[in-house]
Amino acid sequence: MVNVKGLKIGEGQPKICVPVVAGNIEEIKNQANRIMFTPADMVEWRVDHLRRSDDIPSVLVALEVLKENLQDKPVLFTFRTAEEGGKKRISAEKYSNLYEAVIKSGNADLIDIEYFLGNRIIKPLIKMAHEHGIKVILSNHDFKKTPPADEMIKRMTGMKNAGADIAKIAVMPHSSSDVLELLTATEAMKKIENPIPIITVSMSALGLVSRITGEVFGSAVTFASAGRTSAPGQIDADELDRITNTIHYNLKDSDRIKLNESAKNVRFKNKRNIILIGFMGTGKTTVGKRLGEKTGMIVKEIDDMIEESAGMSITSIFEKRGEEAFRDIESAQVNKVSNMEGVIVSCGGGTVMRRRNVDRLKRKGCIILLRGTPELVYERVKRGGDKRPLLNRYQSRGYISWLMKKRRDTYMAVADYIIDVDGKNSDIIADEILEFVYNRKKRR
Ligand code: S3P
């Protein structure tokens, strides 16, 4: 696994990388803004499309602008040469100079270097990148054909031996067996000694299956478009995200069932708290109220407590004092409810992202995760006005899915019980919770 600014490449669901293919700075800004509405985990800047890519100062300015407009999404810097399907030719010397300047600028998180440029060029660049804390993808592209699996394995192993953090190969299929050949090479790379994350692509519509099955066969990143594509076969980022989410949730559903099974053995004692967690818009407040009605227990809504204690709305706290201050007030409210007994606690979506909040909450109660799809959440928050500062700026299904993925492993890890809420009303969900905590149905 390679960790780039918290993004774990080579673990779990393949990361979505959206290319920026722009001729000038204005286009870069527009595309970066558009990407923020998508579920992109990272961005590849294809600098060979920049009109002034031969002028290093212009490239550095453009890179800085791109970075500023992407918040904290990792940026992969790539000059794709004409020999490997890129837009321009470039001399070896200019290539090295360009990459050196970019490495020194500190504005790239990863760089893509073409493997076939040879050791004389790639070795010093890898060394320099690593000295600057930048990860290196060694890559190879064949836009004409699919080489035999053995050859692809040999190339990717060679990339690893040359010092790559990630090895990438993208090839063109002419038949379904070509696609299988690529998948065979992908699968085989899991079994080499000390494997590294790899990225494999079978291009064009025929190869699309290779872009969606990374979690099964072992390809760590998948490229998708937000408007403009940079290679044949790329599909829209939201569409790709839906498909890879479906695969991920089905592969992981066994975890959920295991968790729910073992949670059944946790005997729920009276006076314990019922703590509702989950992403914004999954219904924590509504379900909390329903539970209150059904049990007569007092409901504590962390968001309301925060607003009361700060004397202003959540939006104002974010605006005037920033997210960290908000989180501190939130932790203080968690401390308060953790001293109470027999209450229902409805958390904010981010409450359990702080470990110490989880520890406090767990001491007095059990944690129920309400899990919903990005589609459901988007439909709900769209209607809800601007109460949620985190979702206001890039209100879209894609942004929600991106944030949800950042949080879902933590949600899963802290939950004692998980309920999928899509298609269920609050009454049914509340009954399901009561059945879990008391092992019996409660009065209506
Ligand atoms: C937040 C969720 C909100 C609220 C704040 C931050 C989050 O609560 O605490 O806007 O980080 O997910 P809801 O989940 O109840 O909307």
Side-chain angles (χ1 to χ4, degrees):
M1 192 265 283
V2 170
N3 193 326
V4 182
K5 280 180 157 175
L7 185 68
K8 293 174 182 156
I9 301 176
E11 194 181 274
Q13 192 167 343
K15 303 304 173 289
I16 295 181
C17 183
V18 173
V20 166
V21 181
N24 57 40
I25 294 212
E26 233 7 73
E27 281 176 36
I28 289 183
K29 275 192 203 156
N30 290 339
Q31 286 188 33
N33 186 51
R34 190 163 177 172
I35 287 172
M36 288 307 295
F37 287 82
T38 75
D41 295 299
M42 57 189 275
V43 170
E44 176 182 47
W45 184 30
R46 281 284 305 275
V47 68
D48 49 302
H49 284 260
L50 187 74
R51 233 159 275 139
R52 306 203 50 197
S53 62
D54 56 349
D55 180 54
I56 291 180
S58 302
V59 169
L60 296 183
V61 170
L63 178 57
E64 202 168 324
V65 170
L66 176 63
K67 194 90 190 151
E68 275 165 15
N69 284 275
L70 286 174
Q71 309 235 331
D72 54 357
K73 282 192 203 301
V75 173
L76 161 64
F77 175 87
T78 304
F79 189 108
R80 181 70 58 240
T81 67
E83 289 78 5
E84 297 224 359
K87 197 142 164 84
K88 289 179 194 146
R89 292 184 186 285
I90 186 169
S91 72
E93 193 193 341
K94 282 196 170 150
Y95 185 96
S96 293
N97 291 343
L98 176 65
Y99 271 77
E100 280 175 16
V102 166
I103 292 169
K104 284 186 195 145
S105 79
N107 279 331
D109 303 293
L110 303 115
I111 54 174
D112 173 304
I113 305 173
E114 289 173 8
Y115 176 55
F116 281 144
L117 288 170
N119 278 341
R120 204 169 53 79
I121 294 176
I122 63 181
K123 284 267 160 100
L125 287 179
I126 294 178
K127 183 164 176 278
M128 191 172 167
H130 285 165
E131 281 163 7
H132 285 76
I134 296 170
K135 303 290 184 211
V136 178
I137 300 179
L138 287 183
S139 68
N140 170 238
H141 305 72
D142 189 333
F143 277 71
K144 297 223 167 64
K145 61 177 187 312
T146 299
D150 283 350
E151 173 61 24
M152 291 189 276
I153 295 166
K154 193 174 129 207
R155 287 181 196 173
M156 286 190 278
T157 313
M159 292 172 192
K160 184 198 148 203
N161 294 337
D165 299 294
I166 300 170
K168 176 188 175 196
I169 198 156
V171 295
M172 188 61 80
H174 293 288
S175 63
S176 48
S177 15
D178 279 348
V179 182
L180 263 184
E181 201 71 10
L182 184 277
L183 294 175
T184 302
T186 308
E187 169 85 7
M189 288 300 290
K190 286 182 196 168
K191 292 168 194 140
I192 67 165
E193 213 177 301
N194 300 322
I196 57 171
I198 61 165
I199 303 170
T200 60
V201 190
S202 181
M203 289 183 281
S204 80
L206 194 56
L208 179 58
V209 287
S210 73
R211 296 181 186 272
I212 63 178
T213 52
E215 191 163 356
V216 176
F217 294 107
S219 176
V221 176
T222 176
F223 290 77
S225 68
R228 295 178 70 172
T229 59
S230 65
Q234 281 173 7
I235 60 168
D236 175 73
D238 261 295
E239 188 65 35
L240 185 67
D241 179 58
R242 281 194 194 94
I243 303 172
T244 52
N245 273 350
T246 302
I247 293 175
H248 178 81
Y249 278 116
N250 280 281
L251 286 171
K252 286 278 164 190
D253 223 39
S254 51
D255 291 357
R256 185 182 70 98
I257 291 160
K258 260 184 261 158
L259 183 59
N260 282 349
E261 284 304 315
S262 67
K264 284 210 168 100
N265 302 324
V266 178
R267 285 231 42 91
F268 190 82
K269 296 183 210 85
N270 269 341
K271 295 203 175 162
R272 292 208 78 192
N273 300 336
I274 301 177
I275 298 141
L276 302 178
I277 67 161
F279 200 78
M280 293 169 259
T282 48
K284 299 179 296 289
T285 304
T286 318
V287 170
K289 281 191 189 132
R290 268 326 263 127
L291 280 172
E293 285 161 18
K294 282 171 189 275
T295 59
M297 287 160 83
I298 290 170
V299 186
K300 290 287 171 189
E301 174 81 30
I302 299 275
D303 281 349
D304 290 350
M305 293 169 68
I306 294 172
E307 293 190 330
E308 204 178 305
S309 116
M312 56 177 130
S313 70
I314 289 179
T315 309
S316 303
I317 305 175
F318 268 79
E319 272 170 21
K320 299 204 172 93
R321 301 175 56 188
E323 180 165 354
E324 268 314 290
F326 170 84
R327 297 294 170 204
D328 291 340
I329 308 173
E330 185 175 48
S331 292
Q333 308 317 308
V334 167
N335 289 351
K336 277 190 207 156
V337 297
S338 302
N339 290 326
M340 300 175 183
E341 283 184 340
V343 292
I344 291 156
V345 182
S346 165
C347 293
T351 309
V352 293
M353 299 310 291
R354 273 197 182 170
R355 183 69 227 182
R356 67 168 186 271
N357 292 348
V358 176
D359 294 340
R360 292 249 153 79
L361 290 166
K362 269 197 184 274
R363 247 185 262 153
K364 286 280 173 62
C366 72
I367 296 188
I368 313 283
L369 168 62
L370 304 187
R371 200 170 74 161
T373 57
E375 289 72 22
L376 174 91
V377 170
Y378 179 49
E379 280 311 310
R380 287 183 181 172
V381 298
K382 224 171 36 181
R383 286 186 257 124
D386 65 348
K387 322 193 283 248
R388 292 184 174 99
L390 286 179
L391 297 183
N392 285 348
R393 182 141 176 223
Y394 305 111
Q395 208 174 84
S396 63
R397 179 228 165 257
Y399 186 80
I400 288 169
S401 180
W402 173 79
L403 186 57
M404 206 181 252
K405 282 197 239 180
K406 281 185 114 177
R407 292 179 168 185
R408 71 175 173 206
D409 290 349
T410 304
Y411 286 159
M412 291 291 283
V414 305
D416 295 306
Y417 189 72
I418 301 159
I419 300 181
D420 288 315
V421 299
D422 283 63
K424 296 178 190 160
N425 65 29
S426 59
D427 201 48
I428 289 177
I429 297 168
D431 283 344
E432 194 175 330
I433 293 172
L434 292 176
E435 205 176 319
F436 163 67
V437 291
Y438 295 117
N439 250 336
R440 65 188 152 91
K441 292 229 176 354
K442 273 265 160 178
R443 74 184 153 86
R444 282 180 191 257

